[in-house]
Amino acid sequence: MSTTELHVHNPVEDLLRQDRVPTIWCPGCGIGTTVNSFAHALLGQQINLQKTAIVSGIGCSGRVSGYMNLDSFHTTHGRAIPFATGLKLANPELTVIVYSGDGDLTSIGGNHLIHAARRNMDIMVVCVNNMIYAMTGGQAAATTPGASNSTTTPYGAFEPELNMAQLVDAAGACFVARWTAFHVMQLERTMAKALKKKGFRFIEILSPCPTYYQRKNNMGDALAAMVDYKKRSKIKNGCPTWETALEPGGEIVVGEFVDREREDYLTRMRRQLGSHYSEFPPQPEEQESEGCEKEC
Amino acid sequence: MKADQRCVMTGTHFINGDAACCEGALSAGARFAAGYPITPSTEIVERFAARAPQVGGLFIQMEDELASSIAIQGMVWGGQKSFTVTSGPGYSLMMEHIGLAAISETPCVFVDVQRGGPSTGLPTLPAQGDMMQARFGSHGDYVTIAICPNSPQECYDLTVKCFNLAEKFRVPVMFMMDECVGHMTEKVVIPPAEEIDLYPRRHASKPPGEFQLFEAGEELVPEMAHAGEGYKLYVTGLTHDKRGYPALNPAAQRELVGRLFEKIRRAQDELTMVEAEGLEDADVVVVSYGITSRVAQKAIQAARDKGLKVGKLRLICVWPFPEKLIRELAGKVKALVMPELNMGQVVLELERCAGGQCKVIGVPHPGGTVHKPVEILEAIERGAR
Amino acid sequence: MLKELRIAGFGGQGVILAAHILGRAVSIHEGGYATMTQNYGPEARGGAASAALVVSDQPVLYPYAVSLDVLVAMSSEAYTRFVPEVREGGMLLVEEDLVPLDQKAQHLRVYGIPATRLAEELGKKMVLNVIMVGFFCAITGIVVRDAAMKSVKDAVPARFLDLNLKAFERGYEYGVELLAKGPAKGEQQMAVPQEAEV
């Protein structure tokens, strides 16, 4: 019997900063699962990774940017989108992805989410929705459904929850989708598709938070969450977003809801400005040799 | 390096301070800006919105000042020079991102055209009430540079200077205008591009793999690389190590914050930017900044007409405060007089640096207009007694 | 030599541009110094519009005009609001069809011109501000005619240049004639009622 040296190469290894592993995420957390799908989507699409930047806000999902071996920007709470906007405008060659959480993107950063969608800014936003503020210890978020318990709603939440898909659809996003951490293959395909699209793209991923959301609401462990997602999810591509609200215990509508063509910000700007806009090529380098002197 | 002539509106103009500031930014090579309209700063971005596309740039009007103040940092990491423009209420909203620019060493310029406050205050009238905010407004410990112009000409010249300082020290630079200089129209001479010196962004000299984003050399200011250049940057608002990786421990905090302070502290002499006159035999020196320095000059002339020995020290760079200069001066004079359009802000620093060696007389003013020269004259006379 | 001036009227009369033309003339074409400031109110239209100029042969230190040497008033409201700022013995130039005077003008040297009517005669009411600029130059001598005309050229679009230069000339001539036919400088050129109209 011969022994073979076994080298296990994780296919997405090169896309992760190996020197930053292990992550801060809890066992059973869904964020890492989404990152895996994201990494596969990036690799599968032959995106120029040298020209790809990832921007996050603050929170558990806000740490994604720092684990990706891309140009990574970990900004302030809620402000990943305006940072990404500046980055994209300054260098339109870049593929810019915002990866952050529900609290970060919809609550403190809600205004930016609306306006980036309205502008159809050419960025892709991935929102990991764990329905709670996890990094700070399990407080209620704008996405916390129904009467859920959290540390700031000890008697159950009583604010209605936000439907992100409907919000960004109304604001003008050109691509809106939702999956759960259970739908890894579908998620990868959707991400791949979104990566190739121009304009404001929004992907929501429901993800278990066993440490806070699941535990506080007696929903069992991460595996139980997967079983729950599987049981409750219903794929409805093209579903009107007003029919995609996440009712507690109800159906989880998943799929690609919106996929439309709309002029993105920079394209529209150039069209509108017309001759008022002048390209600005770099100044020609000073000529070092005096060219044709020999010949002339 | 020299300014790009395509961006420089060389010539003699009769324009206001806001317009001059916009031209200064363009001359300095800023072709991108983000902002949110607010009186009395709006004219800067209105002009920029018209001018920038002509040179391949753009102005984006963001949804608020929080967005503006971080969009510009995205622009900088995307490889551009950028700035944002605001006034009091908007400046308050920008505070968080001044801290981000400080810790991530993002070179950018924040223009604050100061108006009367607190809150909505006096939107169309001048004040200098944001001076302490410019120094201490964001949470945590950091240092910035704050520059105060006193004329439209300086709104041009010093805007260029702000961008140069931002690049040199990799800090957010505060350009502290006020409504009076912003809306005041005077002659502004814009020199030919080849006479405008720009401090180039110091780009990474090592290739990806070897380059460490926050590794600083002798001068304590790291080199910079941009997104899309293959460096796999890691920029975070968390305390970080030389690679930019989060390092949440006291040692990393000491090293990072220590360096951020030290890079400015050791440039104190270079950043002592003043206009001084008649200090040699002065009994009283009027220390002032911004628009107030012009009114102070009038009071100084009146005091000299009365036979008093009065010197002038005008601070062009207020932060960092010219501590050494003030200490020396305080040992030689009877009194330092500081008029300012607030109820006494920078005078606290003046008092601290004077260290009891001489009288320090503040001439507070709640803003809405400038001092009457006689108010400053009275303080000079008190100081001379 | 330091002079404090204010041009005031209602929105749409072009008072800001008039001040701009004069300030530019002094600081660019005469090599002197001029500082222009404006009053800003929350109203975007209507109300009093005004701009002040401090002109000098030395750099201007104090930016605001506080004791006016000359007030150019182009509306009744502007007159009422700003005439108290004119120094004793200062000059008051008015759009005489629009500004009814009262005893507040008593100690001032007052010169009137029907600028709106003259502008209408030239075919465009909007040039009344440039007529006023010409009139101002002739009466006060604070800004040299040639410099002011150069400044008009800088300030107006090419297609309106002839019209504006004509307007300037018209105002200037009117001022020269007024000075020539009227009593010696220093006396009032318009009848001022001795009592205020209640």
mmCIF file of all heavy atoms in Angstrom, chain C residues 138-177:
data_model
loop_
_atom_site.group_PDB
_atom_site.id
_atom_site.type_symbol
_atom_site.label_atom_id
_atom_site.label_comp_id
_atom_site.label_asym_id
_atom_site.label_seq_id
_atom_site.Cartn_x
_atom_site.Cartn_y
_atom_site.Cartn_z
ATOM 1 N N ALA C 138 -21.063 109.078 -13.521
ATOM 2 C CA ALA C 138 -21.068 110.504 -13.863
ATOM 3 C C ALA C 138 -21.229 111.376 -12.621
ATOM 4 O O ALA C 138 -20.521 112.356 -12.446
ATOM 5 C CB ALA C 138 -22.204 110.775 -14.854
ATOM 6 N N ILE C 139 -22.140 110.999 -11.762
ATOM 7 C CA ILE C 139 -22.440 111.836 -10.597
ATOM 8 C C ILE C 139 -21.349 111.769 -9.539
ATOM 9 O O ILE C 139 -20.903 112.782 -9.006
ATOM 10 C CB ILE C 139 -23.793 111.422 -9.956
ATOM 11 C CG1 ILE C 139 -24.946 111.576 -10.947
ATOM 12 C CG2 ILE C 139 -24.063 112.183 -8.664
ATOM 13 C CD1 ILE C 139 -25.394 113.002 -11.207
ATOM 14 N N THR C 140 -20.909 110.572 -9.207
ATOM 15 C CA THR C 140 -20.003 110.434 -8.050
ATOM 16 C C THR C 140 -18.537 110.543 -8.425
ATOM 17 O O THR C 140 -17.722 110.943 -7.594
ATOM 18 C CB THR C 140 -20.183 109.066 -7.356
ATOM 19 O OG1 THR C 140 -19.712 108.042 -8.245
ATOM 20 C CG2 THR C 140 -21.638 108.804 -7.006
ATOM 21 N N GLY C 141 -18.181 110.134 -9.634
ATOM 22 C CA GLY C 141 -16.766 110.124 -9.999
ATOM 23 C C GLY C 141 -15.952 109.104 -9.226
ATOM 24 O O GLY C 141 -14.728 109.062 -9.322
ATOM 25 N N ILE C 142 -16.626 108.248 -8.461
ATOM 26 C CA ILE C 142 -15.887 107.255 -7.658
ATOM 27 C C ILE C 142 -15.299 106.169 -8.556
ATOM 28 O O ILE C 142 -14.234 105.637 -8.297
ATOM 29 C CB ILE C 142 -16.815 106.641 -6.579
ATOM 30 C CG1 ILE C 142 -17.138 107.708 -5.521
ATOM 31 C CG2 ILE C 142 -16.168 105.424 -5.908
ATOM 32 C CD1 ILE C 142 -18.171 107.278 -4.501
ATOM 33 N N VAL C 143 -16.014 105.861 -9.621
ATOM 34 C CA VAL C 143 -15.508 104.860 -10.554
ATOM 35 C C VAL C 143 -15.312 105.533 -11.912
ATOM 36 O O VAL C 143 -16.194 106.234 -12.407
ATOM 37 C CB VAL C 143 -16.486 103.671 -10.676
ATOM 38 C CG1 VAL C 143 -15.967 102.652 -11.681
ATOM 39 C CG2 VAL C 143 -16.695 103.019 -9.320
ATOM 40 N N VAL C 144 -14.146 105.334 -12.481
ATOM 41 C CA VAL C 144 -13.799 105.957 -13.754
ATOM 42 C C VAL C 144 -14.622 105.345 -14.887
ATOM 43 O O VAL C 144 -14.818 104.127 -14.946
ATOM 44 C CB VAL C 144 -12.286 105.763 -14.033
ATOM 45 C CG1 VAL C 144 -11.907 106.347 -15.385
ATOM 46 C CG2 VAL C 144 -11.472 106.391 -12.920
ATOM 47 N N ARG C 145 -15.073 106.204 -15.767
ATOM 48 C CA ARG C 145 -15.942 105.798 -16.865
ATOM 49 C C ARG C 145 -15.375 104.628 -17.689
ATOM 50 O O ARG C 145 -16.054 103.629 -17.926
ATOM 51 C CB ARG C 145 -16.150 107.039 -17.748
ATOM 52 C CG ARG C 145 -16.962 106.846 -18.975
ATOM 53 C CD ARG C 145 -16.741 108.056 -19.876
ATOM 54 N NE ARG C 145 -16.979 107.677 -21.249
ATOM 55 C CZ ARG C 145 -18.131 107.913 -21.879
ATOM 56 N NH1 ARG C 145 -19.098 108.562 -21.269
ATOM 57 N NH2 ARG C 145 -18.309 107.529 -23.118
ATOM 58 N N ASP C 146 -14.125 104.754 -18.103
ATOM 59 C CA ASP C 146 -13.541 103.709 -18.956
ATOM 60 C C ASP C 146 -13.493 102.354 -18.250
ATOM 61 O O ASP C 146 -13.768 101.311 -18.843
ATOM 62 C CB ASP C 146 -12.110 104.092 -19.363
ATOM 63 C CG ASP C 146 -12.136 105.069 -20.511
ATOM 64 O OD1 ASP C 146 -13.254 105.387 -20.985
ATOM 65 O OD2 ASP C 146 -11.044 105.514 -20.927
ATOM 66 N N ALA C 147 -13.106 102.421 -16.994
ATOM 67 C CA ALA C 147 -13.015 101.176 -16.218
ATOM 68 C C ALA C 147 -14.391 100.541 -16.095
ATOM 69 O O ALA C 147 -14.543 99.319 -16.249
ATOM 70 C CB ALA C 147 -12.439 101.466 -14.831
ATOM 71 N N ALA C 148 -15.391 101.367 -15.860
ATOM 72 C CA ALA C 148 -16.745 100.835 -15.703
ATOM 73 C C ALA C 148 -17.219 100.205 -17.015
ATOM 74 O O ALA C 148 -17.845 99.143 -17.013
ATOM 75 C CB ALA C 148 -17.695 101.934 -15.260
ATOM 76 N N MET C 149 -16.887 100.849 -18.122
ATOM 77 C CA MET C 149 -17.323 100.296 -19.408
ATOM 78 C C MET C 149 -16.641 98.962 -19.707
ATOM 79 O O MET C 149 -17.258 98.036 -20.233
ATOM 80 C CB MET C 149 -17.081 101.300 -20.537
ATOM 81 C CG MET C 149 -18.090 102.443 -20.461
ATOM 82 S SD MET C 149 -17.938 103.639 -21.785
ATOM 83 C CE MET C 149 -18.691 102.767 -23.138
ATOM 84 N N LYS C 150 -15.362 98.887 -19.360
ATOM 85 C CA LYS C 150 -14.666 97.596 -19.536
ATOM 86 C C LYS C 150 -15.357 96.523 -18.709
ATOM 87 O O LYS C 150 -15.516 95.380 -19.132
ATOM 88 C CB LYS C 150 -13.207 97.722 -19.067
ATOM 89 C CG LYS C 150 -12.294 98.327 -20.100
ATOM 90 C CD LYS C 150 -10.849 98.259 -19.610
ATOM 91 C CE LYS C 150 -9.981 99.213 -20.387
ATOM 92 N NZ LYS C 150 -8.771 99.608 -19.650
ATOM 93 N N SER C 151 -15.726 96.926 -17.514
ATOM 94 C CA SER C 151 -16.360 95.979 -16.601
ATOM 95 C C SER C 151 -17.726 95.530 -17.128
ATOM 96 O O SER C 151 -18.106 94.374 -16.971
ATOM 97 C CB SER C 151 -16.486 96.642 -15.227
ATOM 98 O OG SER C 151 -16.902 95.727 -14.276
ATOM 99 N N VAL C 152 -18.453 96.467 -17.762
ATOM 100 C CA VAL C 152 -19.732 96.098 -18.377
ATOM 101 C C VAL C 152 -19.477 95.040 -19.446
ATOM 102 O O VAL C 152 -20.180 94.030 -19.545
ATOM 103 C CB VAL C 152 -20.441 97.335 -18.989
ATOM 104 C CG1 VAL C 152 -21.636 96.906 -19.842
ATOM 105 C CG2 VAL C 152 -20.895 98.295 -17.891
ATOM 106 N N LYS C 153 -18.410 95.261 -20.218
ATOM 107 C CA LYS C 153 -18.072 94.293 -21.272
ATOM 108 C C LYS C 153 -17.805 92.904 -20.683
ATOM 109 O O LYS C 153 -18.203 91.890 -21.242
ATOM 110 C CB LYS C 153 -16.832 94.742 -22.049
ATOM 111 C CG LYS C 153 -17.134 95.822 -23.069
ATOM 112 C CD LYS C 153 -15.873 96.209 -23.825
ATOM 113 C CE LYS C 153 -16.055 97.583 -24.433
ATOM 114 N NZ LYS C 153 -14.778 98.259 -24.720
ATOM 115 N N ASP C 154 -17.106 92.885 -19.549
ATOM 116 C CA ASP C 154 -16.811 91.586 -18.907
ATOM 117 C C ASP C 154 -18.079 90.891 -18.437
ATOM 118 O O ASP C 154 -18.163 89.672 -18.411
ATOM 119 C CB ASP C 154 -15.935 91.779 -17.652
ATOM 120 C CG ASP C 154 -14.598 92.409 -17.975
ATOM 121 O OD1 ASP C 154 -14.142 92.262 -19.115
ATOM 122 O OD2 ASP C 154 -14.012 93.038 -17.061
ATOM 123 N N ALA C 155 -19.037 91.715 -18.006
ATOM 124 C CA ALA C 155 -20.146 91.156 -17.236
ATOM 125 C C ALA C 155 -21.325 90.690 -18.071
ATOM 126 O O ALA C 155 -22.093 89.844 -17.630
ATOM 127 C CB ALA C 155 -20.616 92.172 -16.201
ATOM 128 N N VAL C 156 -21.510 91.264 -19.273
ATOM 129 C CA VAL C 156 -22.731 90.927 -19.999
ATOM 130 C C VAL C 156 -22.439 90.023 -21.192
ATOM 131 O O VAL C 156 -21.360 90.075 -21.770
ATOM 132 C CB VAL C 156 -23.489 92.202 -20.458
ATOM 133 C CG1 VAL C 156 -23.807 93.095 -19.267
ATOM 134 C CG2 VAL C 156 -22.713 92.954 -21.512
ATOM 135 N N PRO C 157 -23.423 89.187 -21.568
ATOM 136 C CA PRO C 157 -23.228 88.304 -22.720
ATOM 137 C C PRO C 157 -23.031 89.132 -24.004
ATOM 138 O O PRO C 157 -23.595 90.230 -24.133
ATOM 139 C CB PRO C 157 -24.534 87.513 -22.800
ATOM 140 C CG PRO C 157 -25.293 87.799 -21.545
ATOM 141 C CD PRO C 157 -24.756 89.047 -20.968
ATOM 142 N N ALA C 158 -22.240 88.609 -24.898
ATOM 143 C CA ALA C 158 -21.851 89.343 -26.111
ATOM 144 C C ALA C 158 -23.053 89.889 -26.884
ATOM 145 O O ALA C 158 -23.029 91.018 -27.372
ATOM 146 C CB ALA C 158 -21.011 88.439 -27.012
ATOM 147 N N ARG C 159 -24.139 89.117 -26.945
ATOM 148 C CA ARG C 159 -25.252 89.564 -27.779
ATOM 149 C C ARG C 159 -25.981 90.765 -27.183
ATOM 150 O O ARG C 159 -26.732 91.443 -27.866
ATOM 151 C CB ARG C 159 -26.212 88.411 -28.078
ATOM 152 C CG ARG C 159 -26.917 87.824 -26.878
ATOM 153 C CD ARG C 159 -27.733 86.601 -27.320
ATOM 154 N NE ARG C 159 -28.681 86.187 -26.293
ATOM 155 C CZ ARG C 159 -28.345 85.473 -25.216
ATOM 156 N NH1 ARG C 159 -27.078 85.123 -25.018
ATOM 157 N NH2 ARG C 159 -29.262 85.120 -24.330
ATOM 158 N N PHE C 160 -25.766 91.019 -25.912
ATOM 159 C CA PHE C 160 -26.401 92.181 -25.290
ATOM 160 C C PHE C 160 -25.412 93.320 -25.063
ATOM 161 O O PHE C 160 -25.724 94.307 -24.413
ATOM 162 C CB PHE C 160 -27.033 91.805 -23.947
ATOM 163 C CG PHE C 160 -28.187 90.854 -24.086
ATOM 164 C CD1 PHE C 160 -28.203 89.638 -23.413
ATOM 165 C CD2 PHE C 160 -29.270 91.184 -24.897
ATOM 166 C CE1 PHE C 160 -29.270 88.764 -23.541
ATOM 167 C CE2 PHE C 160 -30.343 90.311 -25.037
ATOM 168 C CZ PHE C 160 -30.342 89.096 -24.358
ATOM 169 N N LEU C 161 -24.194 93.173 -25.593
ATOM 170 C CA LEU C 161 -23.151 94.140 -25.261
ATOM 171 C C LEU C 161 -23.494 95.540 -25.763
ATOM 172 O O LEU C 161 -23.436 96.515 -25.002
ATOM 173 C CB LEU C 161 -21.805 93.671 -25.824
ATOM 174 C CG LEU C 161 -20.632 94.601 -25.508
ATOM 175 C CD1 LEU C 161 -20.476 94.761 -23.989
ATOM 176 C CD2 LEU C 161 -19.339 94.076 -26.103
ATOM 177 N N ASP C 162 -23.878 95.649 -27.024
ATOM 178 C CA ASP C 162 -24.176 96.975 -27.580
ATOM 179 C C ASP C 162 -25.255 97.675 -26.783
ATOM 180 O O ASP C 162 -25.129 98.847 -26.436
ATOM 181 C CB ASP C 162 -24.622 96.855 -29.049
ATOM 182 C CG ASP C 162 -23.421 96.639 -29.958
ATOM 183 O OD1 ASP C 162 -22.283 96.822 -29.463
ATOM 184 O OD2 ASP C 162 -23.625 96.294 -31.130
ATOM 185 N N LEU C 163 -26.301 96.923 -26.521
ATOM 186 C CA LEU C 163 -27.417 97.478 -25.763
ATOM 187 C C LEU C 163 -26.947 97.992 -24.399
ATOM 188 O O LEU C 163 -27.292 99.089 -23.964
ATOM 189 C CB LEU C 163 -28.490 96.397 -25.585
ATOM 190 C CG LEU C 163 -29.704 96.788 -24.743
ATOM 191 C CD1 LEU C 163 -30.517 97.862 -25.446
ATOM 192 C CD2 LEU C 163 -30.577 95.558 -24.458
ATOM 193 N N ASN C 164 -26.118 97.189 -23.748
ATOM 194 C CA ASN C 164 -25.658 97.577 -22.419
ATOM 195 C C ASN C 164 -24.710 98.775 -22.454
ATOM 196 O O ASN C 164 -24.743 99.624 -21.568
ATOM 197 C CB ASN C 164 -25.006 96.384 -21.718
ATOM 198 C CG ASN C 164 -26.048 95.481 -21.077
ATOM 199 O OD1 ASN C 164 -26.565 95.790 -20.010
ATOM 200 N ND2 ASN C 164 -26.387 94.396 -21.754
ATOM 201 N N LEU C 165 -23.881 98.817 -23.483
ATOM 202 C CA LEU C 165 -22.985 99.975 -23.591
ATOM 203 C C LEU C 165 -23.796 101.245 -23.843
ATOM 204 O O LEU C 165 -23.518 102.303 -23.298
ATOM 205 C CB LEU C 165 -21.942 99.753 -24.682
ATOM 206 C CG LEU C 165 -20.880 98.699 -24.331
ATOM 207 C CD1 LEU C 165 -19.914 98.491 -25.487
ATOM 208 C CD2 LEU C 165 -20.111 99.071 -23.066
ATOM 209 N N LYS C 166 -24.829 101.097 -24.658
ATOM 210 C CA LYS C 166 -25.732 102.226 -24.908
ATOM 211 C C LYS C 166 -26.389 102.662 -23.604
ATOM 212 O O LYS C 166 -26.539 103.858 -23.319
ATOM 213 C CB LYS C 166 -26.820 101.812 -25.913
ATOM 214 C CG LYS C 166 -26.563 102.330 -27.313
ATOM 215 C CD LYS C 166 -27.765 102.002 -28.199
ATOM 216 C CE LYS C 166 -27.271 101.491 -29.552
ATOM 217 N NZ LYS C 166 -28.206 100.595 -30.205
ATOM 218 N N ALA C 167 -26.801 101.685 -22.852
ATOM 219 C CA ALA C 167 -27.463 101.976 -21.576
ATOM 220 C C ALA C 167 -26.504 102.715 -20.644
ATOM 221 O O ALA C 167 -26.875 103.695 -19.986
ATOM 222 C CB ALA C 167 -27.932 100.676 -20.931
ATOM 223 N N PHE C 168 -25.278 102.235 -20.622
ATOM 224 C CA PHE C 168 -24.283 102.897 -19.775
ATOM 225 C C PHE C 168 -24.138 104.361 -20.202
ATOM 226 O O PHE C 168 -24.183 105.281 -19.380
ATOM 227 C CB PHE C 168 -22.931 102.172 -19.874
ATOM 228 C CG PHE C 168 -21.871 102.811 -19.019
ATOM 229 C CD1 PHE C 168 -21.689 102.436 -17.694
ATOM 230 C CD2 PHE C 168 -21.051 103.819 -19.535
ATOM 231 C CE1 PHE C 168 -20.727 103.038 -16.901
ATOM 232 C CE2 PHE C 168 -20.090 104.437 -18.745
ATOM 233 C CZ PHE C 168 -19.917 104.041 -17.426
ATOM 234 N N GLU C 169 -23.986 104.564 -21.518
ATOM 235 C CA GLU C 169 -23.817 105.928 -22.052
ATOM 236 C C GLU C 169 -25.009 106.814 -21.697
ATOM 237 O O GLU C 169 -24.853 107.961 -21.310
ATOM 238 C CB GLU C 169 -23.691 105.877 -23.588
ATOM 239 C CG GLU C 169 -22.407 105.247 -24.098
ATOM 240 C CD GLU C 169 -21.169 106.114 -23.888
ATOM 241 O OE1 GLU C 169 -21.271 107.161 -23.215
ATOM 242 O OE2 GLU C 169 -20.095 105.734 -24.392
ATOM 243 N N ARG C 170 -26.199 106.226 -21.819
ATOM 244 C CA ARG C 170 -27.419 106.993 -21.563
ATOM 245 C C ARG C 170 -27.443 107.474 -20.106
ATOM 246 O O ARG C 170 -27.719 108.641 -19.829
ATOM 247 C CB ARG C 170 -28.641 106.108 -21.859
ATOM 248 C CG ARG C 170 -29.959 106.841 -21.833
ATOM 249 C CD ARG C 170 -30.080 107.767 -23.048
ATOM 250 N NE ARG C 170 -31.182 108.715 -22.898
ATOM 251 C CZ ARG C 170 -31.067 109.913 -22.319
ATOM 252 N NH1 ARG C 170 -29.914 110.314 -21.824
ATOM 253 N NH2 ARG C 170 -32.100 110.720 -22.228
ATOM 254 N N GLY C 171 -27.117 106.571 -19.213
ATOM 255 C CA GLY C 171 -27.086 106.928 -17.792
ATOM 256 C C GLY C 171 -26.000 107.943 -17.511
ATOM 257 O O GLY C 171 -26.185 108.897 -16.736
ATOM 258 N N TYR C 172 -24.879 107.733 -18.129
ATOM 259 C CA TYR C 172 -23.738 108.629 -17.910
ATOM 260 C C TYR C 172 -24.080 110.039 -18.383
ATOM 261 O O TYR C 172 -23.904 111.016 -17.659
ATOM 262 C CB TYR C 172 -22.506 108.085 -18.637
ATOM 263 C CG TYR C 172 -21.220 108.744 -18.190
ATOM 264 C CD1 TYR C 172 -20.514 108.260 -17.092
ATOM 265 C CD2 TYR C 172 -20.716 109.877 -18.857
ATOM 266 C CE1 TYR C 172 -19.344 108.875 -16.662
ATOM 267 C CE2 TYR C 172 -19.547 110.494 -18.438
ATOM 268 C CZ TYR C 172 -18.858 109.987 -17.342
ATOM 269 O OH TYR C 172 -17.703 110.594 -16.918
ATOM 270 N N GLU C 173 -24.593 110.117 -19.645
ATOM 271 C CA GLU C 173 -24.977 111.426 -20.205
ATOM 272 C C GLU C 173 -25.996 112.132 -19.322
ATOM 273 O O GLU C 173 -25.894 113.319 -19.061
ATOM 274 C CB GLU C 173 -25.646 111.237 -21.578
ATOM 275 C CG GLU C 173 -24.694 111.059 -22.724
ATOM 276 C CD GLU C 173 -25.436 110.461 -23.923
ATOM 277 O OE1 GLU C 173 -26.690 110.593 -23.996
ATOM 278 O OE2 GLU C 173 -24.755 109.826 -24.755
ATOM 279 N N TYR C 174 -26.966 111.362 -18.884
ATOM 280 C CA TYR C 174 -28.030 111.942 -18.061
ATOM 281 C C TYR C 174 -27.418 112.577 -16.804
ATOM 282 O O TYR C 174 -27.779 113.676 -16.403
ATOM 283 C CB TYR C 174 -29.046 110.869 -17.672
ATOM 284 C CG TYR C 174 -30.328 111.436 -17.096
ATOM 285 C CD1 TYR C 174 -31.438 111.669 -17.918
ATOM 286 C CD2 TYR C 174 -30.433 111.733 -15.741
ATOM 287 C CE1 TYR C 174 -32.613 112.188 -17.400
ATOM 288 C CE2 TYR C 174 -31.601 112.258 -15.209
ATOM 289 C CZ TYR C 174 -32.689 112.477 -16.045
ATOM 290 O OH TYR C 174 -33.847 113.011 -15.523
ATOM 291 N N GLY C 175 -26.442 111.881 -16.262
ATOM 292 C CA GLY C 175 -25.768 112.381 -15.067
ATOM 293 C C GLY C 175 -24.982 113.649 -15.362
ATOM 294 O O GLY C 175 -25.034 114.623 -14.594
ATOM 295 N N VAL C 176 -24.273 113.636 -16.483
ATOM 296 C CA VAL C 176 -23.463 114.803 -16.845
ATOM 297 C C VAL C 176 -24.366 116.024 -17.047
ATOM 298 O O VAL C 176 -24.086 117.116 -16.546
ATOM 299 C CB VAL C 176 -22.649 114.505 -18.123
ATOM 300 C CG1 VAL C 176 -21.985 115.776 -18.651
ATOM 301 C CG2 VAL C 176 -21.586 113.441 -17.844
ATOM 302 N N GLU C 177 -25.477 115.793 -17.770
ATOM 303 C CA GLU C 177 -26.419 116.900 -18.012
ATOM 304 C C GLU C 177 -26.997 117.424 -16.709
ATOM 305 O O GLU C 177 -27.115 118.635 -16.502
ATOM 306 C CB GLU C 177 -27.569 116.428 -18.919
ATOM 307 C CG GLU C 177 -27.168 116.333 -20.380
ATOM 308 C CD GLU C 177 -28.163 115.506 -21.178
ATOM 309 O OE1 GLU C 177 -29.336 115.385 -20.749
ATOM 310 O OE2 GLU C 177 -27.739 114.944 -22.219
#
